Amino acid sequence: MKKALFIDRDGTILVEPPTDYQVDSFEKFAFIPKSITNLARIYREMDYEFVMVTNQDGLGTDSYPEHTFWPYQNKMLEILESEGIKFDEILIDRSFEHEGLETRKPGIGMMKNYLAGEYDLANSYVIGDRQTDVKLAQNLGAQAIFIGEASADGAALSTTNWDEIYTFLKQQRTGRTARVRRSTSETDIQVDLNLDGTGKSNIQTGIGFFDHMLEQVARHGKVDLTIQVKGDLHIDEHHTIEDTGLALGEAFLQALGDKRGISRYGFFILPMDEALAQVAIDFSGRPWTVWQAEFKREKVGGMPTEMFFHFFKSFSDTARANLNIKVEGDNEHHKIEAIFKGFARAIRMAVERNLQDTSIPSTKGTL
């Protein structure tokens, strides 16, 4: 579905004109700082339609002659188009507030075609500098970005800086999430992943120690992670652990998308008492696993130690990542937990992205 930015004019793109605005006084014609630069970036990098929605009280009457509006309007559009910015539609209401017309913001009379079901209004935004713009968003079922010194109730973002508007929209449009469902005769697994989360987790694999380790991935990787597993534990733990690794790796592959702007490489050395784990990862598009870890116990917390390598190998295969893990120490619990925490921290570094960078971190141009 299509998404739109419904953008106010005065006070949002142009500096609010004085009441004595005359056609021969172009020195009063000015853009809001950084509005052109960021509108161009949004237009170029995101797939919103641009719709200008403005109230021009009494335009065409003696109190507001046409010739005191259109030269500025046309000059504004000319400058914006020179930077590659084009509006798909320009909606101008000419009524006075006391008339109470539905076409006047925050009314939606001019915007009925956007309610026909072709637009994802829940993920569209109204950008403006007045409470009527916030109310317009509510009436449309859209979200609001308020430009002003004070915060506005009901706005998803309140700011005076167009750089912040760009960054906010970039984050919303490039949300790195994934949902993976893996269902076989042996396991039924669902993984929900948000790479830009806060470390929240809800893990239920049926293996307590495994749950605890996967919670470390969420917490120390700063990703939100939900994993629900129904596995054939009445046989043994093998399929549950292996298939969870496969599903989790696939979720990372999906959430990373084309990997534009990410660091790509991550590495971490993590001490835990006498144990020391070294983990490095490269989301290169090529699976490879190096494992230098030995365990003397058959199980830790009910989880077979031989399955730890199998989990990371499965993750590497479906995430298409190089993964290098080494651990030394005496306490098996410490060694395993250090590996998972180091793995999480390495991931956190590798998936970090620069929103200003739209390049793919490879000379090949693809990962």
Side-chain angles (χ1 to χ4, degrees):
M1 297 178 71
K2 295 183 281 189
K3 300 177 178 64
L5 296 182
F6 302 99
I7 306 172
D8 182 38
R9 177 182 182 268
D10 302 326
T12 302
I13 301 174
L14 294 179
V15 173
E16 192 79 42
T19 55
D20 63 344
Y21 214 12
Q22 298 296 322
V23 70
D24 59 350
S25 57
F26 268 101
E27 70 275 6
K28 300 175 182 177
F29 176 86
F31 284 84
I32 295 290
K34 300 184 179 180
S35 60
I36 298 176
T37 300
N38 286 291
L39 281 168
R41 295 162 79 192
I42 294 166
Y43 192 90
R44 182 174 62 250
E45 298 173 19
M46 308 177 209
D47 58 352
Y48 292 106
E49 289 190 6
F50 275 29
V51 182
M52 184 180 295
V53 187
T54 179
N55 292 337
Q56 297 294 325
D57 298 9
L59 178 61
T61 65
D62 290 342
S63 62
Y64 193 178
E66 301 273 359
H67 69 268
T68 64
F69 172 76
W70 289 108
Y72 301 97
Q73 173 75 359
N74 293 334
K75 175 57 70 173
M76 175 192 68
L77 294 176
E78 177 187 332
I79 292 171
L80 293 175
E81 287 189 19
S82 72
E83 296 296 324
I85 305 161
K86 294 183 179 180
F87 283 87
D88 295 272
E89 189 170 14
I90 296 176
L91 304 174
I92 302 173
D93 178 72
R94 298 164 174 252
S95 69
F96 291 100
E97 184 176 3
H98 69 265
E99 296 179 73
L101 298 185
E102 179 63 15
T103 54
R104 181 183 175 85
K105 290 189 298 182
I108 58 174
M110 294 191 295
M111 310 170 72
K112 295 294 179 66
N113 59 313
Y114 294 98
L115 302 173
E118 295 183 9
Y119 287 83
D120 179 5
L121 291 174
N123 291 300
S124 297
Y125 292 85
V126 175
I127 306 176
D129 67 321
R130 298 185 181 227
Q131 286 292 336
T132 51
D133 296 303
V134 178
K135 183 62 176 177
L136 173 63
Q138 294 171 348
N139 291 342
L140 279 172
Q143 301 185 63
I145 295 175
F146 178 74
I147 298 177
E149 294 291 344
S151 60
D153 291 340
L157 173 69
S158 296
T159 182
T160 58
N161 191 324
W162 264 98
D163 285 342
E164 292 184 7
I165 295 174
Y166 165 79
T167 299
F168 174 81
L169 290 174
K170 188 75 170 178
Q171 290 173 335
Q172 305 310 306
R173 296 296 292 138
T174 57
R176 299 182 299 172
T177 62
R179 168 169 287 183
V180 171
R181 181 75 180 271
R182 180 182 176 85
S183 185
T184 71
S185 61
E186 299 164 339
T187 59
D188 186 11
I189 300 173
Q190 181 166 305
V191 175
D192 290 285
L193 173 68
N194 178 5
L195 294 183
D196 302 304
T198 59
K200 296 181 295 185
S201 64
N202 181 9
I203 315 290
Q204 297 180 23
T205 67
I207 305 171
F209 187 75
F210 192 30
D211 292 353
H212 182 50
M213 293 301 100
L214 292 171
E215 288 167 358
Q216 306 306 315
V217 174
R219 175 65 62 86
H220 293 277
K222 289 295 183 184
V223 299
D224 291 344
L225 183 60
T226 297
I227 301 178
Q228 302 293 317
V229 183
K230 295 179 181 178
D232 55 357
L233 293 176
H234 62 285
I235 297 176
D236 70 5
E237 306 87 354
H238 186 103
H239 299 138
T240 292
I241 297 168
E242 176 184 34
D243 289 3
T244 298
L246 292 170
L248 183 61
E250 185 178 346
F252 269 87
L253 183 68
Q254 286 187 19
L256 284 170
D258 64 8
K259 303 174 186 174
R260 292 181 183 275
I262 69 167
S263 295
R264 173 180 166 179
Y265 301 99
F267 48 89
F268 206 83
I269 299 175
L270 191 136
M272 187 168 184
D273 295 344
E274 88 298 340
L276 184 68
Q278 302 175 60
V279 183
I281 193 167
D282 173 14
F283 285 102
S284 62
R286 301 181 306 277
W288 195 272
T289 306
V290 176
W291 178 259
Q292 298 180 56
E294 295 182 0
F295 302 101
K296 298 174 183 177
R297 291 169 56 184
E298 180 184 355
K299 288 188 174 184
V300 173
M303 185 170 174
T305 53
E306 67 177 5
M307 288 305 301
F308 289 109
F309 166 73
H310 210 55
F311 167 78
F312 288 109
K313 174 67 164 56
S314 297
F315 176 90
S316 169
D317 285 348
T318 51
R320 299 179 192 170
N322 289 181
L323 186 57
N324 194 305
I325 295 174
K326 179 181 180 180
V327 69
E328 298 173 343
D330 298 319
N331 185 286
E332 308 293 66
H333 184 120
H334 292 166
K335 288 159 64 177
I336 293 165
E337 189 162 345
I339 287 173
F340 272 88
K341 288 179 176 177
F343 173 66
R345 291 282 176 161
I347 283 177
R348 182 172 169 180
M349 179 187 295
V351 304
E352 184 179 5
R353 61 178 174 172
N354 180 354
L355 291 173
Q356 316 303 322
D357 183 2
T358 60
S359 66
I360 294 174
S362 171
T363 55
K364 296 190 296 294
T366 185
L367 286 174

